[in-house]
């Protein structure tokens, strides 16, 4: 992504001043010392450094509270998210609600675009690239030229009288989705448990102590702007924060979303009281907080239905959520949350390190430091990082919720980096790379919902800007259906819908859900293809691919090249990535029409277009895959995007076994790009090295990602934080063990076991990974050699397995289980 700002990743800016906490009169709370916006958020408590690893295999844990946001631990249920700092004297839980987006639905399309498009194309074909850039920027950009940000909902602040912790452990158990803070103060053990219940749509925080009457805290809700906090008007034990985003349209009408957050305290023993906007609890035996958040966002399918204001009162929604949540005991709510979370999380088990290994008792930040010192991540860290990515997807993308954005669900600013929007030139797609292979297929569906919501505005953009049918998205979108070019000329990249259309097809390939293909996937794919078929033009004589179909204008995200006259430019025609995305889309459309036995004429049009599409070309000078239609030199040879290798990953047009010449050129391309990069850029390269079956090079880059681009709470660091690197790396670790992208005859795929197993991970086991064709796979290996495999054929059909150079074919029935040995032979039962 274009780096629009520089942000010190570890600096958490204190923005609020919490006052009036009577219980802390003897020492000013840290929160009242935040006038200096350069200061880090600090817990006043001192820590002894003593702490014990919690039970559980995959846990993030620490021996001190978080000092900055990038050390806090995330919880989420797809709608409501929290970042738990784990403070002793001073605690903060930063809250997000997935629909709290600034802005509103509008028509940003510039009708001048269609008039000037032929001239832009003429200039590009005449090698007048920068003249084309100037004209396109004047006439094709969206109005406005960008989107408004996703925003933080609120922050819950509370403090205690505890200024020291003799023993302290802060942890997130990935298997339960519960953050636990446990510490000892003056001989009393205090415990706090926090989790986000999907069933109740609430965050619950439980306080207990080893002695009676020991829990005394003061609470308030804060937001940087546009909100106020008061005692709840109808609930004497609740705080209420509510507000409205100050958005107005060109006529001066208020269009901003309304929002609210409520916190209710339920105590046994002790009592509660209010002082101004502060809720205090004194002398309780136990305390449970129920936290709700809501907006009046109408849902993706109703963005254009609301007129000037949407119905719904967020504070009423919060009250209903909390009323429902408090009807059950805490024990019942927690047990239900764990059951529901494990319904998804427990589908995959990965074991790469022994529990008695030398680093087993290292805290997570210590494991990271050990990796930085040795340059080699411990297998346990790799295992936990993999499961953390799955945890984050479960927490930030669930059926019926918004899809995961650039920061998933968690953003503390009013204006996060890149607006925490949906960047469609790789970042949004990367978020969902692990969904199918790591057995979280349901978490893929919010992306499909977003795509469906973009069809209507995308159709208008296609017609107004290009005179084309179908639907189009450029390099970003938001919660309000923005589909026009944004930011600058780099935004005139009309390939977003075509790339996104890969995802519903992938969902079908893994699930073989024909009803989904017919009702949801294929209409989205066909609509994206219809735009492409209208957008393509024939390259004129005198060009390198004369007579072939090319895209124009075109752009290779987000790279620039050097023209023969020495000028730099970003605009051209026929960037290689375009051909690769189009090849992927049209090929998948052809396959879908055969499966569904429909649209023969459309199928033939796709096939004819594929035969005329400009090919992937190899540079005669460098032997690398060419990024543009001309063999230009790059402005940044080590650019973070490796767009022209889309056909290697996430596409499948390039493979080691199917196209060895292109695979060799792709390898040279990756070597030239280098082994450094942004967090998400490294994750992409790891996936590509996996596809080349260069396991140790892939693991080397995973080490760089963990050692140099991973924050203390294991969030990916662009920098700053972007969640796509987490998701991309999780998918990459899975593809070290199972790959199923190489197409065979018909609509089948080869399933390759341990295709890219690094020597650093020579022993281990995995259960529950998925392969295309509806197969679920368990593997065990020792000394880098497969010991046994268990494969469930959910739908049945032909299965081709590969292990190294060995292949085996099986005919399977629906529900059949194959038990195979190290030679891919059936085991005797």
């Amino acid at each position: 992504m274009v780096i629009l700002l520089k942000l010190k990743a570890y600096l958490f800016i204190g923005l609020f001043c919490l006052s009036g906490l009577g219980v802390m009169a003897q020492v000013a709370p840290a929160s009242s010392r935040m006038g200096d916006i350069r200061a880090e958020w600090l817990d006043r408590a001192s820590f002894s450094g003593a702490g014990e690893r919690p039970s559980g295999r995959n846990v993030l844990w620490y021996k001190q509270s978080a000092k900055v946001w990038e050390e806090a631990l995330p919880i989420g249920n797809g709608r409501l998210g929290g970042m738990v700092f784990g403070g002793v004297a001073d605690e903060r839980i930063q809250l997000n609600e997935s629909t709290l987006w600034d802005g509103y639905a509008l028509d940003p399309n510039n009708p001048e675009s269609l008039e000037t498009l032929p001239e832009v194309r003429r200039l590009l074909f005449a090698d007048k690239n920068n003249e084309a850039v100037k004209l396109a920027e004047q006439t094709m950009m969206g109005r406005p030229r960008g989107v408004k940000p996703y925003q933080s909902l609120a922050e819950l602040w509370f403090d205690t009288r505890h200024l020291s912790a003799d023993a302290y452990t802060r942890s997130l158990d990935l298997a339960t989705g519960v953050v636990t803070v446990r510490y000892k103060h003056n001989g009393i053990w205090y415990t706090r448990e926090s989790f986000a219940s999907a069933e109740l749509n609430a965050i619950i925080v439980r306080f207990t102590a080893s002695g009676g009457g020991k829990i005394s805290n003061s609470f308030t809700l804060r937001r940087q702007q546009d909100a106020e906090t008061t005692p709840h008007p109808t609930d004497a034990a609740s705080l209420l924060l509510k507000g409205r985003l100050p958005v107005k349209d060109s006529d001066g009408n208020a269009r901003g979303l309304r929002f609210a957050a409520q916190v209710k305290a339920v105590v046994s023993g002790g009592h509660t009281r209010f002082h101004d906007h502060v809720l205090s609890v004194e002398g309780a035996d136990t305390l449970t907080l129920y936290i709700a958040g809501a907006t009046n966002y109408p849902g993706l399918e109703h963005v254009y239905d609301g007129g000037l204001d949407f119905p719904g009162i967020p504070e009423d929604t919060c009250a209903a959520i909390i009323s429902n949540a408090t009807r059950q005991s805490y024990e019942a709510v927690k047990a239900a949350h764990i059951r529901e979370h494990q319904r998804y999380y427990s589908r995959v088990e990965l074991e790469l390190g022994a529990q008695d290994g030398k680093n087993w008792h290292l805290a997570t930040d210590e494991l990271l430091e050990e990796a930085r010192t040795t340059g080699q991540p411990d297998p346990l860290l790799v295992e936990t990082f993999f499961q953390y990515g799955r945890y984050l997807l479960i927490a930030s993308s669930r059926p019926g919720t918004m899809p995961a954005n650039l920061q998933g669900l968690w953003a503390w600013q009013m204006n996060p980096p890149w607006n925490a929007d949906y960047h469609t030139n790789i970042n949004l797609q990367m978020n969902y790379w692990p969904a199918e292979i790591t057995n979280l297929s349901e978490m893929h569906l919010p992306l499909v919902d977003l795509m469906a919501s973009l069809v209507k505005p995308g159709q208008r953009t296609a017609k107004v800007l290009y005179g084309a049918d179908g639907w189009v998205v450029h390099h970003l979108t938001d919660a309000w259906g923005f589909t026009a070019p944004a930011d600058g000329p780099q935004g005139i990249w009309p390939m977003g819908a075509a790339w996104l259309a890969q995802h519903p097809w992938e969902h079908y390939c893994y699930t073989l859900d024909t009803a989904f293909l017919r009702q949801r996937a294929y209409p989205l794919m066909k609509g994206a293809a219809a735009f492409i078929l209208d957008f393509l033009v024939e390259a004129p004589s005198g060009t390198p691919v004369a007579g072939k179909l090319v895209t124009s204008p075109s752009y290779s995200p987000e790279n620039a090249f050097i023209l023969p006259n020495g000028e730099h430019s970003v605009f051209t025609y026929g960037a290689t990535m375009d051909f690769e995305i189009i090849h992927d889309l049209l090929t998948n459309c052809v396959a879908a029409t055969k499966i569904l036995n429909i649209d023969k004429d459309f199928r033939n049009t796709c096939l004819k277009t594929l035969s005329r599409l400009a090919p992937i070309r190899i540079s005669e000078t460098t032997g690398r895959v060419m990024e543009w239609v001309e063999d230009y030199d790059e402005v940044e040879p080590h650019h973070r995007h490796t767009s022209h290798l889309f056909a290697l990953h996430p596409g499948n047009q390039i493979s080691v076994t199917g196209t060895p010449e292109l695979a060799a050129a792709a390898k040279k391309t990756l070597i030239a790009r280098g082994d450094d990069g942004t967090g998400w850029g490294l994750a992409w390269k790891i996936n590509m090295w996996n596809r080349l079956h260069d396991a140790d090079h892939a693991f080397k880059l995973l080490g760089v990602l963990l050692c140099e681009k991973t924050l203390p709470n294991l969030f990916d660091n662009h920098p700053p934080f972007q969640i796509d690197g987490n998701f991309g790396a999780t998918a990459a670790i899975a593809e070290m063990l199972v790959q199923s992208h190489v197409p065979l005859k018909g609509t089948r795929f080869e399933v390759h076991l341990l295709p890219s197993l690094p020597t650093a991970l020579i022993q281990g086991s995995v259960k529950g990974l998925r392969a295309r064709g509806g197969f679920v796979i368990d593997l065990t290996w020792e000394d880098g050699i497969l010991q046994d495999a268990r494969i469930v054929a959910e739908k049945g059909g032909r299965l081709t397995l590969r292990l190294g150079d060995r292949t085996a074919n099986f005919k399977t029935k629906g529900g059949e289980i194959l038990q195979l040995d190290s030679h891919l032979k059936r085991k005797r039962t």
Side-chain angles (χ1 to χ4, degrees):
M1 298 177 58
V2 177
I3 299 179
L4 304 176
L5 52 88
K6 293 181 180 179
L7 179 67
K8 184 180 177 184
Y10 288 89
L11 181 60
F12 184 79
I13 301 174
L15 294 170
F16 310 117
C17 179
L18 178 59
S19 60
L21 299 190
V23 298
M24 289 306 303
Q26 71 272 33
V27 180
S31 48
S32 69
R33 295 184 272 110
M34 300 309 294
D36 181 359
I37 64 171
R38 297 168 298 175
E40 293 182 353
W41 184 89
L42 294 173
D43 182 3
R44 287 164 297 140
S46 60
F47 297 85
S48 66
E52 294 185 358
R53 179 188 174 93
S55 61
R57 182 171 182 91
N58 295 128
V59 293
L60 282 66
W61 71 284
Y62 307 83
K63 300 175 184 176
Q64 66 286 320
S65 61
K67 296 179 180 178
V68 294
W69 187 84
E70 293 85 357
E71 294 177 358
L73 295 174
I75 54 176
N77 60 20
R79 287 187 173 86
L80 192 62
M83 293 290 286
V84 182
F85 281 65
V88 171
D90 306 279
E91 170 66 314
R92 159 186 273 170
I93 301 178
Q94 184 264 317
L95 302 171
N96 286 102
E97 208 281 343
S98 66
T99 64
L100 186 52
W101 285 75
D102 200 351
Y104 61 97
L106 45 76
D107 183 355
N109 301 295
N110 189 340
E112 294 181 61
S113 172
L114 187 57
E115 299 174 13
T116 59
L117 181 61
E119 178 63 9
V120 169
R121 286 172 166 167
R122 186 193 70 80
L123 291 168
L124 290 171
F125 286 133
D127 296 327
K128 297 179 180 180
N129 302 66
N130 285 335
E131 291 182 41
V133 169
K134 184 177 179 180
L135 179 60
E137 191 167 15
Q138 290 172 346
T139 60
M140 298 183 73
M141 297 304 304
R143 301 180 302 182
R145 292 168 64 103
V147 299
K148 295 288 187 178
Y150 174 68
Q151 292 190 352
S152 174
L153 172 64
E155 296 183 352
L156 172 64
W157 290 72
F158 54 92
D159 60 21
T160 73
R161 299 186 178 94
H162 308 157
L163 299 180
S164 64
D166 299 328
Y168 176 96
T169 300
R170 172 172 62 102
S171 64
L172 165 60
D173 188 334
L174 301 179
T176 64
V178 176
V179 170
T180 302
V181 177
R182 188 170 188 269
Y183 64 90
K184 189 177 183 180
H185 174 75
N186 286 349
I188 301 295
W189 283 98
Y190 294 87
T191 303
R192 291 200 304 270
E193 295 179 329
S194 306
F195 58 89
S197 166
E199 292 183 345
L200 298 177
N201 193 24
I203 288 176
I204 293 93
V205 185
R206 174 74 158 186
F207 299 70
T208 58
S210 60
K214 296 295 184 180
I215 298 171
S216 296
N217 304 78
S218 294
F219 304 87
T220 197
L221 284 166
R222 284 289 185 264
R223 193 175 194 269
Q224 179 186 349
Q225 60 193 42
D226 309 323
E228 64 174 356
T229 298
T230 61
H232 197 283
T234 62
D235 188 338
S238 285
L239 284 166
L240 176 65
L241 175 145
K242 63 179 182 178
R244 185 174 190 180
L245 300 183
V247 182
K248 293 186 178 181
D249 62 22
S250 58
D251 296 324
N253 298 306
R255 302 295 297 271
L257 285 177
R258 304 175 191 273
F259 60 90
Q262 182 179 343
V263 178
K264 179 180 179 67
V266 176
V267 299
S268 62
H271 62 276
T272 62
R273 67 181 180 89
F274 277 103
H275 174 70
D276 295 330
H277 58 284
V278 176
L279 171 65
S280 295
V281 174
E282 288 282 356
D285 299 326
T286 65
L287 164 65
T288 308
L289 300 180
Y290 296 87
I291 306 167
T295 76
N296 68 330
Y297 181 76
L300 287 167
E301 68 276 22
H302 299 300
V303 162
Y304 295 95
D305 300 343
L308 295 181
D309 198 5
F310 294 113
I313 303 173
E315 50 268 40
D316 289 353
T317 303
C318 289
I321 289 170
I322 287 179
S323 175
N324 181 53
T326 53
R327 290 173 185 158
Q328 306 174 51
S329 69
Y330 171 77
E331 291 74 18
V333 168
K334 179 184 175 183
H337 158 74
I338 292 173
R339 276 195 310 272
E340 197 274 344
H341 173 74
Q342 290 184 342
R343 173 183 160 208
Y344 301 111
Y345 180 86
S346 297
R347 291 173 181 173
V348 173
E349 299 176 14
L350 178 65
E351 293 191 5
L352 299 175
Q355 295 192 22
D356 58 355
K358 65 183 181 68
N359 292 331
W360 177 257
H361 294 288
L362 291 181
T364 302
D365 50 348
E366 294 170 342
L367 265 179
L368 280 172
E369 185 57 36
E370 171 80 6
R372 295 185 182 106
T373 301
T374 63
Q376 180 94 339
D378 187 279
L380 179 63
L381 178 60
V382 173
E383 175 189 319
T384 300
F385 194 59
F386 167 82
Q387 291 287 28
Y388 188 52
R390 296 183 68 247
Y391 168 85
L392 293 173
L393 190 58
I394 295 168
S396 63
S397 180
R398 284 168 171 262
T401 72
M402 300 293 287
N405 62 45
L406 271 176
Q407 295 193 204
L409 178 61
W410 305 275
W412 61 267
Q413 297 112 315
M414 299 297 106
N415 188 17
W418 302 284
N419 302 308
D421 63 27
Y422 299 119
H423 249 69
T424 54
N425 64 4
I426 184 173
N427 312 95
L428 175 59
Q429 291 91 336
M430 184 182 284
N431 282 0
Y432 288 90
W433 287 353
E436 301 295 338
I437 190 172
T438 74
N439 219 330
L440 296 174
S441 188
E442 298 93 332
M443 310 313 166
H444 215 160
L445 297 179
L447 179 60
V448 180
D449 294 340
L450 176 68
M451 292 173 61
S453 77
L454 295 175
V455 169
K456 182 177 179 179
Q459 288 173 334
R460 176 159 177 78
T461 298
K463 189 65 69 177
V464 172
L465 268 63
Y466 303 102
D469 288 335
W471 65 288
V472 64
V473 179
H474 290 79
H475 87 298
L476 60 77
T477 188
D478 62 0
W480 302 109
F482 191 98
T483 55
D487 294 341
Q490 73 272 14
I492 306 174
W493 182 78
M495 303 303 297
W499 187 346
L500 285 170
Q502 184 186 62
H503 284 261
W505 171 249
E506 287 288 275
H507 182 77
Y508 166 76
C509 288
Y510 278 89
T511 64
L512 300 187
D513 184 342
T514 306
F516 172 84
L517 179 64
R518 178 179 293 107
Q519 297 164 14
R520 304 205 65 192
Y522 180 66
L524 292 170
M525 295 162 62
K526 184 179 179 180
F531 169 78
I532 292 297
L533 294 172
D534 283 351
F535 179 66
L536 287 167
V537 294
E538 183 177 297
S541 61
T543 61
V545 289
K548 292 291 187 180
L549 294 177
V550 296
T551 52
S552 183
S554 183
Y555 167 65
S556 186
E558 294 168 356
N559 208 355
F561 53 87
I562 303 172
L563 293 165
N565 64 7
E567 294 180 359
H568 294 182
S569 186
V570 299
F571 236 30
T572 182
Y573 66 93
T576 299
M577 184 191 218
D578 293 357
F579 306 147
E580 296 171 336
I581 292 174
I582 293 168
H583 183 280
D584 186 85
L585 172 61
L586 298 185
T587 301
N588 296 341
C589 283
V590 168
T593 61
K594 291 180 179 178
I595 293 166
L596 299 173
N597 194 26
I598 58 172
D599 277 354
K600 185 177 180 180
D601 290 344
F602 176 68
R603 180 195 315 158
N604 290 334
T605 300
C606 291
L607 288 169
K608 183 179 179 180
T609 302
L610 283 166
S611 71
R612 298 190 60 206
L613 197 64
I616 301 172
R617 301 168 67 217
I618 299 174
S619 169
E620 295 179 0
T621 303
T622 64
R624 305 197 296 258
V625 174
M626 288 171 52
E627 187 163 0
W628 296 278
V629 71
E630 304 275 1
D631 199 3
Y632 298 121
D633 289 332
E634 299 164 288
V635 174
E636 296 180 65
H638 302 298
H639 195 266
R640 59 196 172 274
H641 286 255
T642 316
S643 302
H644 47 316
L645 296 189
F646 172 96
L648 178 64
H649 186 282
N652 61 5
Q653 194 178 352
I654 298 175
S655 66
V656 173
T657 55
T659 58
E661 184 181 3
L662 283 173
K667 184 172 184 177
K668 291 180 180 179
T669 306
L670 282 174
I671 291 170
R673 267 300 198 260
D675 290 345
D676 198 1
T678 59
W680 65 264
L682 284 165
W684 197 3
K685 290 177 184 177
I686 298 165
N687 279 283
M688 291 177 174
W689 282 111
N690 278 338
R691 292 282 176 95
L692 293 173
H693 301 169
D694 194 332
D696 287 340
H697 205 134
F699 193 79
K700 175 186 175 183
L701 267 62
L702 179 60
V704 176
L705 176 65
L706 283 166
C707 295
E708 300 179 17
K709 303 294 181 179
T710 299
L711 295 161
N713 63 358
L714 298 190
F715 272 171
D716 169 70
N717 196 14
H718 177 290
F721 160 55
Q722 282 183 201
I723 204 165
D724 42 13
N726 288 100
F727 294 136
T730 292
I733 294 167
E735 282 218 352
M736 291 176 177
L737 309 177
V738 174
Q739 294 179 18
S740 61
H741 59 282
V742 176
L744 300 173
K745 289 183 179 180
T747 56
R748 296 188 303 114
F749 296 87
E750 177 185 85
V751 178
H752 197 161
L753 308 181
L754 303 182
S756 188
L757 183 66
T759 55
L761 305 178
I762 60 172
Q763 67 179 33
S765 66
V766 68
K767 295 180 180 179
L769 291 182
R770 295 187 66 90
R772 292 169 181 85
F775 300 102
V776 182
I777 298 174
D778 302 347
L779 303 172
T780 301
W781 64 96
E782 294 180 8
D783 296 324
I785 300 173
L786 180 70
Q787 298 302 300
D788 54 68
R790 179 181 185 271
I791 301 175
V792 179
E794 290 185 331
K795 300 294 180 72
R798 292 183 61 84
L799 168 64
T800 297
L801 288 179
R802 175 180 289 274
L803 178 65
D805 296 329
R806 182 184 299 116
T807 60
N809 291 285
F810 303 89
K811 291 183 179 180
T812 66
K813 299 178 181 179
E816 183 178 356
I817 298 175
L818 302 180
Q819 298 281 3
L820 306 177
D821 63 18
S822 60
H823 301 287
L824 300 184
K825 301 292 185 181
R826 289 180 185 264
K827 287 185 174 181
R828 294 181 179 178
T829 57

